[in-house]
């Protein structure tokens, strides 16, 4: 089984990356499962997403702690999250950077794929959503799925102009990704470096050569409608479950107050239970419960 972990920031499409890759694998007759893990559920917060691909059914739905491949959608995450945590020896790393890629190599890494995904996304999509760009880099590094399968998954997921732009972004990343081996040697040259954007006016401060891309300086990717979370059963991607010990509960309601998804529901007897359609397993209720009445358990493999 191949395990891929994506790291992004809320709004960059890390979850969509995992889903598109899984969809492409399924289209090729493989088995796959993709799901995210959210911490603070807000735009710009670090987000992880997981994809497992195998030739036999994938029943495991826990987070990936020891991935074969890590894909990092946002360069600022290197300072915020231990993105290579648990990466297998001789594992693979795919990164979005404008910097010299050699500095990201480390002992134990087999290959590194680097692409300036933010620039590609800004220039083609006019927004810093780097998910399809990084997918192009990923399959350039290792042909987990065929390019055509991934393009088909993109075209199924999106429509019209958006689909076409994402396919363009994916293809350009495939062409511009550089792959380094563990001794720092470049093992794959650019397929055909394109300069079609040279001379074009670039977007905002991101065009300044001496700046890294700051999330706060980039344009927003989309607008979230208030209240729309009720339409989404966010519990679908949960991998940990809060368990309440009624005998320790003092009915203070703090779990209800702190739950970001209104998943704690007070019953007529005053005690609280968890609405599993919406609980995403963030663990905030367990952290805030003053009596330790809540603990988190990993959900069982299906
Ligand atoms: S019930 Fe607890 S674990 Fe579930 S979403 Fe709410 S705070 Fe998070
Ligand atoms: S926070 Fe803990 S003690 Fe308070 S109502 Fe929730 S489960 Fe009970």
């Amino acid at each position: 089984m191949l395990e891929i972990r994506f790291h992004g920031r809320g709004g960059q499409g890390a979850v969509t990356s995992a889903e598109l890759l899984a969809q492409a694998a399924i289209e090729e007759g493989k088995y796959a499962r993709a799901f995210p893990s959210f911490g603070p559920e807000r735009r710009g917060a670090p987000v992880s997403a997981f994809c497992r691909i195998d030739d036999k059914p994938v029943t495991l739905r826990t987070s990936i702690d020891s991935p074969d491949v890590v894909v990092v959608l946002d360069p600022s995450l290197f300072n915020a999250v231990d993105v290579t945590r648990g990466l297998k020896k001789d594992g693979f790393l795919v990164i979005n950077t404008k910097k010299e890629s050699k500095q990201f190599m480390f002992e134990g890494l087999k290959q590194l794929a680097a692409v300036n995904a933010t620039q590609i996304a800004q220039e083609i999509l006019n927004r810093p959503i780097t998910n399809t760009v990084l997918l192009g880099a990923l399959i350039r590094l290792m042909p987990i799925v065929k390019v055509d399968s991934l393009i088909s998954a993109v075209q199924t997921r999106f429509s019209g102009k958006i689909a076409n732009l994402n396919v363009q972004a994916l293809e350009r990343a495939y062409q511009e990704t550089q792959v380094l081996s563990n001794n720092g040697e470049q093992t794959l040259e650019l397929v055909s470096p394109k300069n079609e954007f040279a001379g074009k006016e670039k977007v905002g401060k991101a065009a300044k050569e001496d700046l890294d891309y700051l999330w706060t300086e980039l344009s927003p990717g989309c607008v979230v409608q208030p209240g729309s979370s009720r339409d989404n059963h966010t519990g679908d991607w949960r991998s940990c479950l809060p368990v309440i010990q009624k005998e320790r509960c003092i009915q203070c309601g703090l779990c209800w107050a702190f739950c970001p998804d209104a998943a704690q529901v007070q019953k007529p007897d005053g005690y609280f239970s968890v609405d599993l359609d919406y609980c995403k397993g963030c663990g905030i209720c367990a952290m805030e419960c003053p009596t330790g009445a809540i603990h988190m358990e990993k959900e069982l493999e299906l």
Side-chain angles (χ1 to χ4, degrees):
M1 180 161 58
L2 187 69
E3 295 187 305
I4 304 124
R5 190 172 70 210
F6 294 83
H7 290 277
R9 290 191 178 274
Q12 284 182 320
V15 180
T16 306
S17 298
E19 290 173 354
L20 288 172
L21 186 61
Q23 187 59 44
I26 290 166
E27 283 191 26
E28 292 184 0
K30 296 173 187 156
Y31 294 90
R33 187 181 281 267
F35 54 95
S37 169
F38 292 105
E41 201 165 312
R42 59 178 165 75
R43 180 162 293 274
V47 166
S48 306
F50 312 103
C51 181
R52 289 189 171 95
I53 299 175
D54 205 348
D55 293 328
K56 48 187 189 299
V58 179
T59 56
L60 200 59
R61 54 175 291 186
T62 55
S63 57
I64 294 176
D65 296 326
S66 186
D68 301 284
V69 189
V70 167
V71 182
V72 185
L73 277 68
D74 190 289
S76 69
L77 285 170
F78 285 106
N79 299 323
V81 178
D82 184 6
V83 290
T84 55
R85 175 184 55 82
L87 180 61
K88 283 187 184 127
K89 185 167 173 358
D90 288 334
F92 298 84
L93 180 61
V94 183
I95 58 170
N96 167 17
T97 184
K98 63 184 281 192
K99 295 179 179 166
E100 174 68 45
S101 51
K102 279 185 183 174
Q103 64 187 275
F104 294 95
M105 283 301 296
F106 58 88
E107 203 176 325
L109 189 63
K110 185 162 188 178
Q111 283 188 311
L112 166 77
V115 65
N116 191 341
T118 306
Q119 183 181 29
I120 293 174
Q122 287 280 35
E123 291 178 347
I124 295 182
L125 304 171
N126 199 29
R127 55 189 59 183
I129 299 182
T130 53
N131 55 354
T132 46
V133 185
L134 266 297
L135 284 175
L138 172 62
I139 57 169
R140 174 79 175 126
L141 173 68
M142 53 196 316
I144 300 169
V145 294
K146 297 188 184 84
V147 178
D148 286 350
S149 307
L150 204 45
I151 289 176
S152 168
V154 169
Q155 288 169 332
T156 303
R157 177 68 174 252
F158 305 109
S159 59
K161 190 179 170 197
I162 302 292
N164 292 337
L165 291 175
N166 275 283
V167 169
Q168 267 183 51
L170 189 157
E171 289 179 337
R172 185 170 156 200
Y174 187 85
Q175 291 163 339
E176 296 190 5
T177 296
Q178 291 182 289
V179 177
L180 301 184
S181 68
N182 58 1
N183 60 6
E185 294 297 318
Q186 187 165 312
T187 53
L188 279 175
E189 296 291 337
L190 303 185
V191 175
S192 60
K194 288 189 173 177
N195 290 317
E196 59 196 78
F197 296 97
K200 272 194 177 181
E201 191 182 341
K202 294 181 183 174
V203 182
K205 292 181 180 176
K208 287 190 176 176
E209 296 305 324
D210 56 341
L211 274 183
D212 215 325
Y213 297 108
L214 300 180
W215 177 253
T216 50
E217 295 174 313
L218 298 170
S219 50
C222 65
V223 175
V224 176
Q225 295 299 327
S228 60
S229 67
R230 272 286 149 197
D231 298 332
N232 298 305
H233 283 188
T234 45
D236 285 356
W237 59 64
R238 186 184 56 247
S239 58
C240 279
L241 183 72
V243 176
I244 303 174
Q245 287 175 268
K246 194 174 173 183
E247 58 276 15
R248 298 182 74 166
C249 175
I250 56 172
Q251 302 186 358
C252 66
L254 284 176
C255 52
W256 171 84
F258 278 95
C259 176
D261 248 12
Q264 289 282 358
V265 183
Q266 192 166 27
K267 297 181 291 184
D269 64 3
Y271 290 100
F272 288 80
S273 68
V274 180
D275 184 341
L276 295 179
D277 277 348
Y278 297 104
C279 169
K280 57 184 181 289
C282 67
I284 292 174
C285 55
M287 289 287 291
E288 297 298 336
C289 175
T291 64
I294 305 176
H295 69 276
M296 303 300 292
E297 287 184 2
K298 275 204 165 185
E299 294 207 73
L300 296 176
E301 186 177 342
L302 291 179

